[in-house]
Amino acid sequence: MAIERTLAIIKPDAVADGNVGGIVGMIEASGLRILGMRMVRLTVPQAQAFYAIHAQRPFFEGLVAFMTSGPVVVLALEGEDAVASWRGLMGPTDSTKAGPDTVRGRYGEDVSRNAVHGSDAVQTAAVEIPFFFPTCQLI
Ligand code: UDP
Ligand code: MG
């Protein structure tokens, strides 16, 4: 076990549906510490850059359209095994397969509109957190 940092995004579907408070509550109840939190509206080039790893996937264009369709809330989180801990709380990518105690099970719709993002590794988090939060701005 180690103290890690991870990036969470509350996606446009969850923001539009008024689920920011519910999701932040689940994050806080889980014991993860919020280091930074901000609402942003991604531009198309920013969303393409953030999801560049998926550029060749068939869902890429739809993903970029979705992620730029409205404001998102970005959070830098810290805690014991924060990457796996937040991924576990999120649930699987396909919301229809997510358990009722997970964020995606509670607030997601399907494999695309799935309420939240989470870094998939410590190394990924180390790139994704500075995408939104200059290190000097984190508590
Ligand atoms: N996505 C999609 N269709 C798919 C797979 C993924 O629209 O078949 C979207 C979905 O919003 C997902 C994001 O692309 O959260 C990134 O996919 P990834 O496989 O990295 O899933 P995640 O890490 O978010 O669980
Ligand atoms: Mg991913």
Side-chain angles (χ1 to χ4, degrees):
M1 301 268 273
I3 299 290
E4 297 172 353
R5 290 181 174 192
T6 192
L7 183 83
I9 304 178
I10 303 176
K11 294 184 177 183
D13 56 337
V15 174
D17 292 345
N19 293 325
V20 172
I23 293 170
V24 171
M26 289 176 78
I27 290 170
E28 290 187 320
S30 79
L32 286 162
R33 195 162 73 87
I34 297 171
L35 299 180
M37 179 163 77
R38 212 150 57 77
M39 183 173 276
V40 299
R41 177 80 185 250
L42 288 171
T43 64
V44 167
Q46 285 168 343
Q48 288 171 334
F50 184 80
Y51 279 115
I53 189 140
H54 294 309
Q56 306 309 319
R57 308 287 288 278
F59 58 81
F60 183 66
E61 205 175 321
L63 174 60
V64 170
F66 168 50
M67 291 301 292
T68 57
S69 66
V72 301
V73 174
V74 293
L75 303 98
L77 306 177
E78 185 174 78
E80 284 284 348
D81 286 326
V83 171
S85 165
W86 171 230
R87 295 281 312 185
L89 182 60
M90 285 165 55
T93 307
D94 186 347
S95 307
T96 66
K97 299 191 167 76
D101 295 335
T102 67
V103 177
R104 284 169 164 169
R106 201 171 291 179
Y107 299 116
E109 270 174 55
D110 54 28
V111 73
S112 303
R113 300 171 63 85
N114 56 9
V116 283
H117 166 85
S119 307
D120 61 11
V122 170
Q123 296 86 338
T124 315
V127 176
E128 291 184 349
I129 292 172
F131 192 95
F132 292 105
F133 298 101
T135 304
C136 64
Q137 285 181 12
L138 292 179
I139 306 297

